[in-house]
Amino acid sequence: MSKRKFGFEGFGINRPATYNFERGSAPQRLYVPPSSRVGGHDNHEDADLDNIEYDQLDAPDRSPPNGGDGAGDGDGEIDPLDAFMEGIQEEIRAPPPASTKPKDKSDKYEDEDDPVESFLRSKKDAGLTLASEVLHAGYDSDEEVYAAAKAVDAGMIEYDSDDNPIVVDKRKIEPIPALDHSNIDYEPFNKDFYEENPSISGMSDQEVTEYRKNLAIRVSGFDVPKPIKLFEDCGFPAALMGAITKQGYEKPTTIQCQALPIVLSGRDIIGIAKTGSGKTAAFVLPMIVHIMDQPELDKGEGPLGVICAPTRELAHQIFLETKKFAKPYGICVAAVYGGVSKLDQFKELKAGCEIVVATPGRLIDLLKMKAVTMIRATYLVLDEADRMFDLGFEPQIQSIVGQIRPDRQTLLFSATMPYKVERLAREILSDPARVTVGEAGMANEDITQVVNVIPSDAEKMPWLLERLPGMVDDGDVLVFASKKTMVDEIEGQLIQKGFKVAALHGDKDQASRMDILQKFKSGIYHVLVATDVAARGLDIKSIKSVVNFDIARDMDMHVHRIGRTGRAGDKDGTAYTLITQKEARFAGELVNSLITAGQDVPAELMDLAMKVCLQKF
């Protein structure tokens, strides 16, 4: 095994920095009302929308991939490595009685999905028994959550406003037994790559205290390094600094100021910061440094760095960001999450990669299949850790941790960190430094919050239609609704009014969701209507307005929603919240949030909050 030079000599690899980090030019953004178009009709003719896969479900010439007959082929062929999945497919094919009803054309398209989801969709009205068999089949991957969500329409279970099922049989999760690390002869590795810049080391304790106070940073732990002021203070090499510049970072965000020196020093960390604060770069940049000091991977080894995230969307987002920083050094990054071919992911992991970004369930599946080993992993990140524990992934997280050497470096980042979750988290960290930026669960102060008290639900759509053209002129718009049916209804009405809009919720298959997000990022769509499935992890800097068409389930989710704008220090973001009399229970929390963030509190909102308070006494 040849050892890469650290040197940041190791970063002197002669690779041209040709990757373009900039977003491509977007189409003309100005809103054009239907009346001004040729023909003057309401159903706008958008060539881009004609290519959306979910709009082509009824196309008569649509056929499954590889010429299949659409009988639940999954990704076009049965994964030969996935024996237990094959067993489930056989079980669900046999019991249902043969149907004489002609097959719906849309079924041919849906058969490209996960076989469990496809089965549930095509047999919604076949009764609760069939859905129950799927839910209790012991399928312990990320698809279990999505398969369970499909049973909602059959009346088996309910789902929350996050588009996640409330009831999942966690007893069926079978974690992998932890390795006996005492019997493994691990190679030593270096974690400490931080040399304090003289401009930082020269700061007195009083100056450090004042600097942290100005940044609203609170720290705890033994001998926490001083916060930096510039990326140059980290000693990053030219190629990495070039990648940082291309990402649009002029100086470190608040969480990066304190987290980067801690992580580069080799310390474990619990990082709590508002959404959109730049947490991803805070753990990816030190990971690149960490990996470049490691011996190169031999066949069958790897990864060196593991990043776990609770949802497919967040995992995919982190994957894209990580690739941008890894490309100058030829570091291979693999994405492992549900909804796409497990066989393809198996082959990719077998080929070798330095970094894996994964959701816990799919990673567990591939570990069981021997697609990957954690024998070389030394750097573990848990992003949105509270959400993973919240969704019942604790056994899977513990299982993954048990596969990685105890002297690893472990990082946890989130916007909120309840006590129960922090207690669980501390079990897998060693002498962590804790960094809190602002108050845990506090809204981003860079976002302008506007709360409107609306007389009734019927007044919400006219309010949105009146103001949306101006919002679109300023940038992309993300509209949140609490239910999937409402998301589809809003999308339909906006399409009729000529907006370039798409919808995102849990009923759409993974390919459609990724396609929609990609088109939204590239500027084909200017408005995205979504449930809370898009509330966490969605990092699209072009989003200038967030509209809470329905109020969030709780304040934590509200913070995550509005955090989709004002990303990484952008002060142009605006979040609008519509609240009615029947939603008055949330008024008090909104008032507190606005006051904490230094925002103006409308008199109507204060009156609504006071009315609720008086009713309690």
Side-chain angles (χ1 to χ4, degrees):
M1 246 184 318
S2 62
K3 186 164 171 34
R4 285 179 277 213
K5 293 182 183 176
F6 179 67
F8 282 85
E9 296 178 13
F11 292 96
I13 297 174
N14 187 21
R15 296 180 186 271
T18 59
Y19 192 81
N20 182 15
F21 297 89
E22 301 297 331
R23 173 182 171 181
S25 59
Q28 180 67 27
R29 188 172 292 289
L30 291 176
Y31 169 66
V32 181
S35 58
S36 65
R37 297 194 180 92
V38 177
H41 52 76
D42 286 338
N43 296 319
H44 70 102
E45 298 174 0
D46 189 332
D48 297 318
L49 290 179
D50 291 340
N51 294 324
I52 300 175
E53 293 184 351
Y54 64 77
D55 279 347
Q56 298 178 3
L57 295 182
D58 295 327
D61 58 349
R62 181 74 178 176
S63 59
N66 303 326
D69 60 1
D73 293 332
D75 293 304
E77 57 177 318
I78 297 176
D79 186 346
L81 302 165
D82 197 355
F84 69 89
M85 276 299 298
E86 173 64 24
I88 291 177
Q89 293 181 54
E90 292 300 327
E91 286 183 22
I92 64 179
R93 286 193 191 111
S99 174
T100 59
K101 181 181 178 182
K103 199 171 184 183
D104 190 281
K105 292 177 183 177
S106 64
D107 288 345
K108 297 171 71 179
Y109 176 80
E110 290 180 346
D111 283 338
E112 294 175 19
D113 271 339
D114 180 272
V116 177
E117 294 185 20
S118 176
F119 168 72
L120 282 172
R121 266 198 301 271
S122 61
K123 300 294 181 183
K124 274 182 182 177
D125 54 353
L128 303 183
T129 305
L130 297 178
S132 179
E133 288 176 1
V134 175
L135 280 174
H136 296 87
Y139 185 55
D140 55 354
S141 183
D142 301 309
E143 280 77 6
E144 180 182 46
V145 175
Y146 288 87
K150 300 305 176 186
V152 170
D153 291 334
M156 281 199 62
I157 55 177
E158 297 180 346
Y159 59 86
D160 62 20
S161 58
D162 295 326
D163 250 350
N164 295 305
I166 296 172
V167 178
V168 175
D169 192 350
K170 300 183 181 71
R171 295 172 300 172
K172 294 296 182 182
I173 296 176
E174 298 176 4
I176 300 175
L179 296 178
D180 185 356
H181 297 285
S182 63
N183 293 329
I184 302 175
D185 187 18
Y186 289 112
E187 290 288 332
F189 70 99
N190 184 28
K191 299 190 218 180
D192 188 356
F193 308 107
Y194 183 60
E195 221 175 286
E196 205 167 60
N197 191 299
S199 63
I200 302 300
S201 58
M203 294 173 65
S204 67
D205 290 344
Q206 169 120 18
E207 289 173 325
V208 171
T209 301
E210 195 63 33
Y211 183 42
R212 284 177 176 153
K213 184 177 179 181
N214 291 338
L215 294 175
I217 291 176
R218 290 180 288 118
V219 299
S220 61
F222 175 73
D223 196 21
V224 179
K226 299 173 182 179
I228 60 169
K229 296 181 178 179
L230 302 170
F231 283 114
E232 287 79 3
D233 295 333
C234 297
F236 291 137
L240 198 54
M241 286 299 299
I244 292 169
T245 302
K246 287 182 179 179
Q247 282 293 88
Y249 290 112
E250 296 179 1
K251 61 180 182 178
T253 63
T254 302
I255 184 63
Q256 291 165 4
C257 285
Q258 184 61 81
L260 285 172
I262 292 174
V263 180
L264 286 168
S265 299
R267 296 280 298 275
D268 287 2
I269 186 173
I270 298 174
I272 307 171
K274 62 194 178 184
T275 58
S277 58
K279 295 191 292 290
T280 302
F283 59 73
V284 170
L285 292 174
M287 179 184 285
I288 302 299
V289 177
H290 183 102
I291 288 173
M292 286 304 297
D293 189 59
Q294 298 279 345
E296 293 183 2
L297 294 173
D298 289 334
K299 185 168 181 167
E301 290 186 333
L304 299 170
V306 179
I307 304 172
C308 287
T311 65
R312 303 173 183 181
E313 284 73 23
L314 180 55
H316 184 71
Q317 186 72 50
I318 295 171
F319 165 69
L320 295 178
E321 291 297 304
T322 304
K323 278 178 62 178
K324 294 174 183 177
F325 293 118
K327 191 174 181 68
Y329 301 106
I331 293 174
C332 179
V333 186
V336 172
Y337 47 77
V340 294
S341 170
K342 193 181 295 183
L343 177 58
D344 290 345
Q345 293 174 352
F346 183 97
K347 291 176 180 177
E348 187 175 10
L349 292 178
K350 275 292 187 183
C353 59
E354 283 89 354
I355 300 173
V356 168
V357 183
T359 49
R362 178 53 66 92
L363 183 57
I364 291 289
D365 282 349
L366 291 165
L367 282 167
K368 289 179 180 178
M369 294 161 60
K370 310 296 183 187
V372 64
T373 174
M374 295 293 175
I375 200 74
R376 286 288 307 276
T378 53
Y379 192 103
L380 173 64
V381 179
L382 305 180
D383 196 21
E384 299 288 8
D386 59 332
R387 186 76 175 133
M388 284 192 283
F389 287 122
D390 220 20
L391 287 175
F393 282 134
E394 182 191 348
Q396 292 171 308
I397 291 296
Q398 295 281 10
S399 184
I400 292 168
V401 170
Q403 304 299 305
I404 304 177
R405 55 194 293 173
D407 58 345
R408 66 187 176 269
Q409 186 173 5
T410 309
L411 292 70
L412 279 85
F413 285 91
S414 186
T416 60
M417 188 68 69
Y419 172 75
K420 178 184 176 184
V421 175
E422 183 168 336
R423 179 176 54 81
L424 292 169
R426 286 182 179 272
E427 294 177 6
I428 61 175
L429 277 80
S430 174
D431 188 26
R434 172 176 171 149
V435 179
T436 303
V437 178
E439 295 296 326
M442 186 181 73
N444 188 337
E445 293 177 6
D446 293 335
I447 301 168
T448 301
Q449 296 188 57
V450 179
V451 180
N452 292 92
V453 179
I454 304 294
S456 66
D457 287 339
E459 302 297 318
K460 289 182 177 181
M461 184 56 68
W463 183 96
L464 181 62
L465 292 174
E466 180 184 345
R467 290 162 179 79
L468 194 55
M471 295 181 197
V472 171
D473 282 346
D474 292 335
D476 290 339
V477 182
L478 178 55
V479 180
F480 282 107
S482 59
K483 297 185 181 298
K484 290 178 275 191
T485 53
M486 180 55 69
V487 167
D488 291 334
E489 183 180 331
I490 295 171
E491 179 198 25
Q493 294 206 38
L494 295 184
I495 287 176
Q496 288 180 10
K497 296 297 183 180
F499 292 97
K500 293 184 177 181
V501 58
L504 189 69
H505 54 65
D507 275 354
K508 295 187 182 293
D509 61 81
Q510 183 66 8
S512 294
R513 292 162 97 177
M514 289 304 169
D515 182 60
I516 289 167
L517 285 175
Q518 184 57 42
K519 289 180 177 177
F520 184 55
K521 285 182 181 180
S522 62
I524 293 174
Y525 301 133
H526 296 159
V527 182
L528 181 66
V529 188
T531 59
D532 285 332
V533 72
R536 286 177 179 254
L538 192 65
D539 187 9
I540 301 176
K541 295 178 177 61
S542 61
I543 296 175
K544 297 300 181 183
S545 302
V546 169
V547 178
N548 290 310
F549 194 87
D550 298 323
I551 62 169
R553 176 190 59 189
D554 52 37
M555 184 48 63
D556 280 350
M557 188 54 65
H558 177 81
V559 169
H560 281 289
R561 278 184 178 188
I562 68 175
R564 297 314 98 202
T565 187
R567 304 296 292 176
D570 181 2
K571 299 181 184 296
D572 292 334
T574 304
Y576 301 89
T577 300
L578 308 183
I579 184 171
T580 63
Q581 294 287 336
K582 70 177 184 179
E583 297 166 331
R585 61 172 179 80
F586 200 59
E589 292 188 78
L590 277 176
V591 169
N592 290 335
S593 175
L594 292 172
I595 293 174
T596 303
Q599 305 273 329
D600 293 332
V601 180
E604 298 90 345
L605 179 64
M606 184 63 78
D607 291 343
L608 191 60
M610 292 300 295
K611 188 183 299 183
V612 174
C613 290
L614 291 173
Q615 288 174 354
K616 290 181 179 179
F617 293 99

